[in-house]
Structure formats: C-alpha cells, structure tokens
C-alpha cells in the first residue's frame, strides 16, 4: 500500500514538473532543447506523407464511388465488420433498363435488338468497373490505409514519448541550474545524466521509425503502379466492349420505314453511320487556342478580367495566391511576369496564379 502511494506521488510530481516546464517554455521563461535538423526534417516528411496519403485516399474513393451516401454506408459496414449489400452500379442499372426496354419494343425489331445489345455492353462495363474497384481497394487503398492506421500511429506514439522525454530533460537542466547545495547539485547532475540518456534513446527510436517512411514511399510506389495497371485494364476493356458494340450496330439495316419518316422525308432512308472511335474524340485545339487568345489579349491590354478557377491550388510561396475550384477572382497582367502566370486578386488578398488553373469569363 505504501509503495503504491509513493509511486502515485512520484508520478504526480513528474507530471507537475513537465507541466511547469511546458508552461515556462510557452512564456519564454525556460530553455528548450531543440531536436537536430535531420530529425526535424524527418518529422516534417512523415507529417507530409500522412497528409497527402489521406488526400490521395479521399480523392481515389470519390473517383471509384462518386455517391457520398454509398461511401458512408460502405464505411459503416466496414467499421461494423459486416459485408455491404451488393447493388448494381450505374452502368449495370442503365444496361438493365435498356434490356428491359428492348424486350418491350421487341427483340425482333431493329430498335429493340439494338437496345438489348447496348444494355448487355453496359452491363459488361459495369462488371469491369466492379473489378477495377475491387483491385484498387485491395492493391492501392488498403496499403495506404494500413500506413495511416498502423505505421503512422506508431510514429505518433513515439513522437509524443520523445516530447515527454525532452520535457523531463529540460526540467532536469532547470533544477541543476537552481541547485545551490552540494548534495542537491549531485542529485540534479545524476538526474540530468539519466534524463539525457533516456532522451537520446527515445530520439534514436523515433529517428529509426521516421527513416522507415522511405520504405513506405517505395511500397506506395508499387501500389501506385498496381493502380495504374488496374485502370489500364479497365479502360482497355471498356474500349474493346464499345468497339464490338459499334460493329454490331453498324451491321443493322440502315433504313427504317415508318409513318413518321414517310411523312417527313418522303420515304428517304436514314443512315446509321459507324463512327470510328478516333473520330468521336473531341478536338481540344480550338478551345485551347481561344483560351490562349484570351490570355494574350489580357496581357496586351494591361487591363483586368474576371476568371473562374478550374481546380484547387495551394500556394507554394507567399507571392502566390491559393485558389479554390469554382470561385471567381480578378486577374491582371503585370509587366515582366512569366507568361504562365497572372496576378490574381480576391478581396484584399493578392498573389500570382497559374493560368492553367483559370478560365477567363466574358
């Protein structure tokens, strides 16, 4: 009983000592042992890795499942360790609707048959999408989540312990400075040696864990390759499905006679062309040249224009302006500024913004 009481008293004294040291540091009344530059850089890199891993995971989940309600439901099922109910995705729902409507119009009619074939293809694409989501979850999202919930939590735990050991060390240094009697100084010096040893040991443990983030980056790189491969397979499958469908539709009769067509066109045939995939891709050169012309006109006029922000942008320095997607800002040209940048203004805030993130408004 006496031992427990003494231990509780010692723990309370240690806690109070740390609290006093922390408070005095905040008010500039006590010195603080700084970590070496290498360890500080490792801590910054680990924190950046954690933040960007979270953002990449979030946006990947949005890409794979755009519906926030479904994402929330899947998250709850995962936390409850239960299997989420299987539901058809959008491609499969569209495919099912097309097949049912084709059956209603009649598989023997050209339109009904075409709807059924389109519906079957949409369901194939839906199946390919399921495979993409499953592969991405296993080979990409799960390793990222394991880092956040495993390795990084361990790093946080050891970093907090390092902070505790540093407070103990600095408190011991303060007590040594205040010691006047010989026996008090001897006890303070012994305590300082012990706390310095514990701090150094904890700093080494933390450093080793932080250096392991390099291995995490290498692992995540392999996961990224797997994710790209899964997407490549998915888009290749979709392309092949649509090419095959296009060929099937191209073999259908090219003219359909009904009362409406006869009254409008006098029995003229309506051609159903087979459009090459390459021809169906929109050309961006016209839009690019128009946008480029708008920016050139702005530079030559030395005036200002309103512009809509296309994507989020985080400023890399104090001379730049951070942007949020879909907001409208005022932009102007500054003599001598790089052609890829404009000066942006939002209220009282002002800074450089990249033109690739902007769309000029009329």
């Amino acid at each position: 009983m006496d031992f427990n009481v003494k231990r509780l008293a010692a723990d309370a004294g240690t806690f109070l000592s740390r609290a006093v040291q922390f408070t005095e540091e905040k008010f500039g009344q006590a010195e603080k042992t700084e970590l070496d530059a290498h360890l500080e850089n490792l801590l910054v890199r680990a924190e950046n890795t954690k933040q960007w891993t979270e953002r990449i995971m979030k946006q990947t989940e949005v890409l794979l499942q755009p519906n926030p309600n479904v994402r929330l439901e899947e998250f709850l099922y995962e936390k409850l360790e239960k299997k989420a109910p299987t539901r058809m995705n959008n491609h499969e729902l569209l495919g099912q609707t097309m097949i049912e409507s084709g059956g209603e119009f009649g598989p023997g009619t050209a339109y009904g048959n075409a709807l059924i074939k389109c519906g079957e293809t949409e369901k194939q694409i839906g199946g390919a999408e399921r495979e993409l989501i499953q592969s991405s979850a296993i080979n990409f999202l799960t390793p990222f989540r394991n880092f956040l919930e495993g390795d990084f939590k361990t790093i946080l735990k050891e970093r907090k312990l390092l902070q505790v050991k540093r407070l103990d060390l600095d408190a011991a240094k303060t007590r040594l400075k205040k010691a006047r009697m010989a026996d008090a100084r001897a006890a303070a010096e012994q305590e300082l040696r012990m706390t310095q040893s514990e701090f150094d040991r904890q700093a080494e443990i933390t450093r080793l864990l932080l250096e392991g983030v390099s291995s995490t980056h290498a692992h995540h790189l392999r996961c990224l390759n797997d994710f790209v491969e899964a997407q490549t397979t998915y888009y290749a499958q979709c392309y092949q499905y649509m090419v095959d469908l296009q060929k099937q539709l191209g073999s259908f009769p090219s003219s359909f006679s009904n009362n409406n067509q006869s009254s409008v066109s006098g029995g003229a045939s309506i051609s159903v062309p087979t459009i090459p995939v390459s021809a169906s891709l929109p050309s961006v050169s016209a839009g690019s040249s128009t946008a480029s012309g708008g920016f050139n006109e702005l530079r030559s006029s030395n005036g200002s224009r309103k512009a809509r922000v296309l994507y989020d942008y985080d400023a890399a320095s104090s001379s730049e302006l951070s942007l949020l997607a879909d907001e409208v800002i005022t932009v102007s040209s500054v003599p001598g500024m790089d052609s890829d940048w404009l000066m942006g203004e939002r209220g009282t805030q002002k800074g450089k913004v990249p033109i690739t993130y902007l769309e000029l408004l009329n």
Side-chain angles (χ1 to χ4, degrees), residues 126-189:
E129 183 180 307
R130 286 185 181 279
E131 293 176 2
L132 170 64
I133 293 174
Q134 183 179 12
S135 174
S136 301
I138 295 173
N139 300 321
F140 188 63
L141 292 176
T142 298
F144 275 45
R145 187 175 293 108
N146 289 342
F147 165 72
L148 294 173
E149 297 179 355
D151 294 350
F152 191 75
K153 283 189 175 180
T154 302
I155 289 174
L156 279 181
K157 176 184 175 182
E158 297 300 331
R159 187 173 69 179
K160 289 179 181 178
L161 187 55
L162 178 63
Q163 171 73 350
V164 169
K165 297 299 182 184
R166 185 198 62 75
L167 288 172
D168 290 343
L169 172 62
D170 289 335
K173 289 180 179 179
T174 301
R175 281 192 287 273
L176 178 60
K177 287 181 180 180
K178 293 179 180 180
R180 293 291 180 266
M181 303 298 292
D183 55 345
R185 288 191 61 84
E189 288 173 353

Side-chain angles (χ1 to χ4, degrees), residues 133-288:
I133 293 174
Q134 183 179 12
S135 174
S136 301
I138 295 173
N139 300 321
F140 188 63
L141 292 176
T142 298
F144 275 45
R145 187 175 293 108
N146 289 342
F147 165 72
L148 294 173
E149 297 179 355
D151 294 350
F152 191 75
K153 283 189 175 180
T154 302
I155 289 174
L156 279 181
K157 176 184 175 182
E158 297 300 331
R159 187 173 69 179
K160 289 179 181 178
L161 187 55
L162 178 63
Q163 171 73 350
V164 169
K165 297 299 182 184
R166 185 198 62 75
L167 288 172
D168 290 343
L169 172 62
D170 289 335
K173 289 180 179 179
T174 301
R175 281 192 287 273
L176 178 60
K177 287 181 180 180
K178 293 179 180 180
R180 293 291 180 266
M181 303 298 292
D183 55 345
R185 288 191 61 84
E189 288 173 353
Q190 182 179 358
E191 182 188 14
L192 178 59
R193 286 192 295 269
M194 182 181 68
T195 54
Q196 181 71 60
S197 175
E198 291 179 354
F199 171 77
D200 292 342
R201 178 176 175 275
Q202 185 57 38
E204 181 65 14
I205 293 173
T206 307
R207 182 185 64 79
L208 291 174
L209 285 171
L210 292 170
E211 288 177 346
V213 173
S214 296
S215 299
T216 299
H217 286 184
H219 183 212
H220 286 183
L221 175 57
R222 292 192 295 272
C223 296
L224 186 61
N225 284 328
D226 291 339
F227 182 49
V228 171
E229 183 178 348
Q231 289 187 91
T232 302
T233 301
Y234 169 69
Y235 290 118
Q237 286 177 319
C238 293
Y239 171 79
Q240 190 59 53
Y241 292 149
M242 297 311 292
V243 168
D244 293 342
L245 174 62
Q246 194 177 54
K247 290 177 181 177
Q248 294 179 58
L249 295 182
S251 66
F252 279 32
S254 59
S255 63
F256 307 96
S257 59
N258 57 44
N259 294 335
N260 291 337
Q261 290 176 356
S262 299
S263 63
V264 174
S265 61
S269 65
I270 298 177
S271 174
V272 182
T274 301
I275 304 173
V277 174
S278 59
S280 68
L281 296 175
S283 172
V284 298
S285 59
S288 298

